Amino acid sequence: MTALRVAVIGHGKLGSIHARLLNDSEDFELTAVADPVVANRKLASDTFNVATTTDITELMSVFDCAIVATPTFLHHQVAKTLLENGKHVFVEKPITATLDEARELVALAEARGLILQVGHVVRFDHRFEAAKQFIRSPRLIECHRASGYTFRSMDVGVTLDLMIHDIDLVLSLVDSPVTAIQAVGTPVIGPHEDVAHARLTFENGALANLSASRASYQQVRNLQAAGSFGFVNVDFLKDSITTVGVGESLRQLDMDPVTATEAEKQDITARFFTELLPRNTLTPTPCNAIAEEHKDFLMAITSQSNPRVDGETGLKVLEIAKRISDLIQNEGSADQIGIGGPHFNSSGSLAERKSIHRSGVRGL
Ligand SMILES: NC(=O)c1ccc[n+]([C@@H]2O[C@H](COP(=O)([O-])OP(=O)(O)OC[C@H]3O[C@@H](n4cnc5c(N)ncnc54)[C@H](O)[C@@H]3O)[C@@H](O)[C@H]2O)c1
């Protein structure tokens, strides 16, 4: 099979990882990199000996598909241009900055028969894949994600930056519509919320609590799910996951805990996490989740099938993320909107800052 010619648009932190993995892959031929920053283009041409440009429309003839890893507010503009030129598009998460933009991309890809994939990479994480085999109709999900401030993705709040990963995971685990959302959050450093908590209630009664912070001294990436299947804990910073299943011995246990004798209680306690609720540590084989995303992109293009995270999915995830960030932004009084954290020193007037906050794009 001939390698698929691919371009990377935005050679920053994520884009350079995509470019390296695509360059290393036999399935792809990296033929173009676009970035307005000279140093980023130079790094790409020095590392990969690839054509570079500030304007991707100049190199449209040299690639068949593209990875969009620009700041979020540019996803729509860049992806739209690519789709209009007949290119399959993998756009980093979140799909776009606004719902209307996402809807337009989904409709455009559909109308042109092109693949539109969204970079919700944790779906391809080996720990999540292993946990998913175990989770059946979860009733309770807890997700915590925290890191320090990176000074990237400042055009969006932590909900669209980090929490969106967990929103995607939760929606992929719960097969029921979201019926209610509660959320609180606050800016700490930048103009948007840097800390956010949200609770999603689903029609089937399931509940998901999500917390995300990019103002944390600690790095945390954790998912826990519980239901009649048992309990699972995924620590994404380690290479193992813990499962607690409901054992056959527990199902067959014929004992009333209220009237149980002391000896019976001791016997149960001794067998608790071995037989009754057997606890296991799984060590799934590590893989590079971004390389797995690329394989899925390739498969979708070559077989004209849906990628695991298609544009429609990215849109649904963004809908929930937007409802959360809207709740957070509307929670404060009018005067608080757009002021940002105590260290956010905007030179604009309050009116300007409000408009910056609402558009989500500084300096436009
Ligand atoms: N999947 C993940 O886990 C994950 C992690 C981090 C970031 N992201 C997403 O990836 C995207 C990029 O994030 P990042 O952290 O790499 O940011 P970054 O700031 O490091 O990189 C963005 C790059 O885009 C370039 N750029 C700006 N305007 C451009 C244009 N018009 N055309 C081409 N390039 C342009 C910038 O010069 C920069 O090099 C964001 O949407 C972000 O949400 C995803």
Side-chain angles (χ1 to χ4, degrees):
M1 199 182 75
T2 49
L4 204 57
R5 299 176 310 160
V6 64
V8 170
I9 325 293
H11 194 251
K13 173 84 176 170
L14 245 279
S16 58
I17 296 172
H18 279 293
R20 176 175 54 77
L21 291 169
L22 291 165
N23 190 59
D24 290 348
S25 164
E26 288 180 358
D27 297 324
F28 291 93
E29 185 190 356
L30 180 64
T31 52
V33 168
D35 199 294
V37 176
V38 179
N40 295 347
R41 291 199 303 280
K42 179 166 172 13
L43 181 65
S45 59
D46 288 353
T47 316
F48 311 119
N49 193 22
V50 68
T52 62
T53 179
T54 52
D55 176 5
I56 196 59
T57 57
E58 289 172 356
L59 290 177
M60 281 292 181
S61 62
V62 308
F63 62 93
D64 311 301
C65 60
I67 306 278
V68 179
T70 62
T72 300
F73 75 92
L74 291 169
H75 286 184
H76 169 257
Q77 178 196 312
V78 175
K80 186 178 173 198
T81 304
L82 291 164
L83 290 168
E84 284 174 343
N85 281 275
K87 310 298 176 189
H88 301 287
V89 171
F90 174 116
V91 61
E92 262 305 339
K93 57 69 3 202
I95 177 169
T96 50
T98 73
L99 293 174
D100 283 346
E101 289 173 351
R103 288 186 194 110
E104 192 184 353
L105 292 190
V106 170
L108 191 54
E110 170 82 26
R112 305 271 171 130
L114 294 164
I115 301 299
L116 176 61
Q117 181 169 339
V118 186
H120 287 293
V121 67
V122 193
R123 282 269 215 114
F124 295 81
D125 186 286
H126 54 286
R127 290 149 292 211
F128 180 70
E129 292 222 64
K132 207 177 166 190
Q133 305 302 317
F134 189 75
I135 299 170
R136 293 276 173 271
S137 305
R139 302 292 293 166
L140 285 167
I141 305 180
E142 290 267 340
C143 298
H144 302 288
R145 193 172 283 265
S147 64
Y149 203 73
T150 62
F151 292 90
R152 304 194 328 268
S153 296
M154 288 187 294
D155 53 328
V156 293
V158 73
T159 311
L160 266 72
D161 182 11
L162 299 184
M163 187 186 278
I164 199 156
H165 283 298
D166 293 318
I167 297 170
D168 173 58
L169 298 185
V170 167
L171 295 189
S172 78
L173 291 172
V174 183
D175 188 15
S176 178
V178 174
T179 51
I181 300 179
Q182 290 169 282
V184 286
T186 179
V188 178
I189 300 158
H192 304 288
E193 80 278 7
D194 293 314
V195 180
H197 282 233
R199 168 177 284 200
L200 310 183
T201 307
F202 292 84
E203 196 174 79
N204 69 1
L207 205 73
N209 286 321
L210 304 107
S211 78
S213 169
R214 53 184 184 185
S216 168
Y217 62 90
Q218 232 184 349
Q219 227 204 342
V220 180
R221 285 185 187 183
N222 189 260
L223 178 147
Q224 297 184 342
S228 57
F229 64 91
F231 168 84
V232 61
N233 179 49
V234 186
D235 182 345
F236 289 99
L237 301 178
K238 295 187 179 147
D239 256 330
S240 62
I241 66 172
T242 305
T243 63
V244 176
V246 177
E248 215 30 57
S249 321
L250 182 61
R251 293 186 202 283
Q252 289 170 6
L253 194 67
D254 185 18
M255 189 198 80
D256 177 352
V258 180
T259 56
T261 64
E262 219 27 65
E264 280 173 330
K265 285 182 191 166
Q266 276 178 17
D267 170 56
I268 297 295
T269 309
R271 295 189 292 136
F272 220 76
F273 288 111
T274 52
E275 280 179 44
L276 303 177
L277 293 169
R279 189 175 69 175
N280 280 308
T281 302
L282 310 180
T283 47
T285 311
C287 67
N288 186 310
I290 297 179
E292 295 301 311
E293 287 186 301
H294 293 164
K295 284 184 202 159
D296 198 46
F297 189 39
L298 177 82
M299 174 70 85
I301 293 170
T302 52
S303 62
Q304 277 298 299
S305 56
N306 264 0
R308 192 177 305 177
V309 187
D310 60 9
E312 194 79 46
T313 306
L315 169 61
K316 284 191 184 129
V317 173
L318 184 66
E319 274 167 357
I320 302 296
K322 280 284 181 191
R323 281 166 66 187
I324 293 171
S325 57
D326 285 352
L327 278 169
I328 291 170
Q329 284 168 25
N330 294 332
E331 142 203 80
S333 74
D335 280 349
Q336 287 171 321
I337 293 174
I339 289 175
H343 307 293
F344 178 65
N345 183 13
S346 166
S347 54
S349 67
L350 178 60
E352 281 167 338
R353 280 185 257 149
K354 283 182 183 175
S355 97
I356 286 165
H357 190 64
R358 288 185 180 125
S359 74
V361 182
R362 286 194 63 200
L364 278 191

